[in-house]
């Protein structure tokens, strides 16, 4: 079973926020995210997520902004990162994500797996959204192949799952169990579960840190929104050697992380020119 003990916190951690009031409270000096770097979803820090081993995305962060940074999230996960995401995900911004709005099955008590993260938590105690289906419900996730569903509805959809199959990292995704918001609003069980999730995620990140540090450097594959470019870098035969970097992110990422930069034909020359100085510095550094 997964260890839920607190790691030694030697790995870098970040929490993604979106300007919501309870985001400020949860990431303040008295909140559960002390020691986490705070990353604004609309800021340039979203491009360089590979600097972290653990990333937490709070509920109500702008889904369109997250979608725009989906390649950065993928790079983070494919280096072995641990992602915790809370709340609805209508833009399907992380790998394996397929979110659907609330249905009648989501307003019935959930099915709860036997897992240390949920020890002592009865199904009724996790049934936080009892009215609906409504436009403001958090919906559910269709679990990707290979995911472990910890809490779900009677139709087999997930409120909480762990996915180790979609990437080389680990994803813990929750919808109707938005621990962060309910912890802020005074739900003691939500606060306990949020603490457990963070402890578990830190332990996961710590355990994977050695493998991450020893991994071979990948090639930055530059894309300019052209379909064949992405398809090439995701080819089943050699795609794992590449980390896809949109041309707009070249000026924001740490290029020294990559063994080479691969610029395919039909790339956007204007965007490449904006990153010229960064690319020049990368080449000068050897």
């Amino acid at each position: 079973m997964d260890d839920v003990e607190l790691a030694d916190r030697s790995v870098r951690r970040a929490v993604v926020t979106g300007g919501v009031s309870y985001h400020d409270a949860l990431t303040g000096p008295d909140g559960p995210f002390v020691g986490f770097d705070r990353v604004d979803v609309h800021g340039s820090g979203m491009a360089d997520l590979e600097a972290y081993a653990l990333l937490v995305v709070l509920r109500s962060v702008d889904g369109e902004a997250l979608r725009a940074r989906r390649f950065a999230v993928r790079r983070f996960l494919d280096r072995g990162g641990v992602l915790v995401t809370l709340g609805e995900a209508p833009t399907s911004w992380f790998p394996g994500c397929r979110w659907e709005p609330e249905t009648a099955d989501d307003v019935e008590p959930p099915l709860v797996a036997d897992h240390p993260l949920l020890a002592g938590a009865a199904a009724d105690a996790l049934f936080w959204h009892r009215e609906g289906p409504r436009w403001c419900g958090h919906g559910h996730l269709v679990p990707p192949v290979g995911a472990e569903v910890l809490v779900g509805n009677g139709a087999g959809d997930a409120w909480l799952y762990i996915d180790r199959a979609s990437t080389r990292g680990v994803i813990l995704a929750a919808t109707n169990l938005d621990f962060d918001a309910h912890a802020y609003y005074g739900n003691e069980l939500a606060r306990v579960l949020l603490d457990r999730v963070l402890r578990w995620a830190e332990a996961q990140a710590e355990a994977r840190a050695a493998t991450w540090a020893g991994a071979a450097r990948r090639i930055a594959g530059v894309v300019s929104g052209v379909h064949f470019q992405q398809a090439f870098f995701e080819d089943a035969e050699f795609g794992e050697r590449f980390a896809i970097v949109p041309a707009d992110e070249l000026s924001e990422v740490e290029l020294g992380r990559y063994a080479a930069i691969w610029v395919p034909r039909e790339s956007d020359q204007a965007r490449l020119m904006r990153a010229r100085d960064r690319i020049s510095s990368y080449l000068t550094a050897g």
Side-chain angles (χ1 to χ4, degrees):
M1 287 200 175
D2 292 315
D3 184 2
V4 296
E5 293 300 315
L6 186 63
D8 67 9
R9 299 199 165 191
S10 63
V11 296
R12 289 193 68 189
R13 298 156 296 147
V15 55
V16 178
T17 66
V20 179
S21 58
Y22 70 80
H23 293 180
D24 291 339
L26 290 173
T27 56
D30 297 321
F33 292 97
V34 173
F36 282 68
D37 290 350
R38 179 169 170 167
V39 178
D40 181 352
V41 71
H42 300 290
S44 61
M46 281 295 295
D48 201 31
L49 299 177
E50 290 178 83
Y52 300 101
L54 169 60
L55 184 69
V56 179
V57 179
L58 300 178
R59 201 199 92 191
S60 297
V61 169
D62 185 338
E64 296 297 337
L66 288 168
R67 176 73 181 170
R69 294 299 196 178
R70 64 193 180 279
F71 291 112
V73 173
R74 183 71 193 230
R75 294 194 301 271
F76 161 79
L77 286 164
D78 278 340
R79 280 198 71 208
V82 177
L83 171 66
V84 174
T85 173
L86 306 172
E88 55 270 35
T91 58
S92 299
W93 55 270
F94 59 91
C97 175
R98 181 182 161 195
W99 180 86
E100 294 180 341
E102 189 177 69
T103 67
D105 293 304
D106 295 315
V107 290
E108 298 291 336
L111 304 177
V112 182
D114 181 14
H115 192 280
L117 284 175
L118 302 168
D124 190 66
L126 297 173
F127 191 20
W128 297 340
H129 307 99
R130 297 170 184 261
E131 299 178 10
R134 300 179 299 166
W135 58 268
C136 61
H138 304 308
H140 58 251
L141 293 159
V142 177
V145 175
E148 179 184 8
V149 177
L150 303 190
V151 182
N153 64 25
D157 305 310
W159 291 6
L160 173 66
Y161 71 64
I162 297 172
D163 179 12
R164 304 177 187 273
S166 296
T167 69
R168 290 193 285 274
V170 179
I171 302 169
L172 183 146
T175 54
N176 255 355
L177 294 177
D178 44 335
F179 309 120
D180 51 347
H182 285 264
Y184 171 72
Y185 288 113
N187 184 320
E188 183 58 30
L189 177 59
R191 185 60 182 256
V192 169
L193 293 177
L194 177 60
D195 183 63
R196 281 187 193 171
V197 165
L198 294 180
R199 289 171 179 263
W200 173 88
E202 289 173 344
Q204 294 288 308
E206 183 66 32
R208 302 170 67 83
T211 301
W212 188 345
R217 291 198 301 164
R218 293 178 293 167
I219 300 168
V222 180
V223 295
S224 301
V226 180
H227 171 72
F228 81 81
Q229 297 173 346
Q230 182 176 339
F232 174 77
F233 293 132
E234 292 179 340
D235 186 274
E237 181 180 355
F238 48 76
E240 67 179 19
R241 301 179 187 176
F242 290 96
I244 295 178
V245 181
D248 282 336
E249 294 181 358
L250 284 170
S251 296
E252 301 170 321
V253 300
E254 176 50 63
L255 294 177
R257 244 182 232 113
Y258 305 111
I261 301 173
W262 188 304
V263 181
R265 66 181 176 88
E266 299 177 29
S267 292
D268 186 322
Q269 300 299 300
R271 287 191 281 175
L272 290 173
M273 284 297 292
R274 288 198 289 269
R276 179 178 58 180
D277 291 344
R278 290 295 299 278
I279 296 172
S280 178
S281 295
Y282 166 82
L283 293 171
T284 300

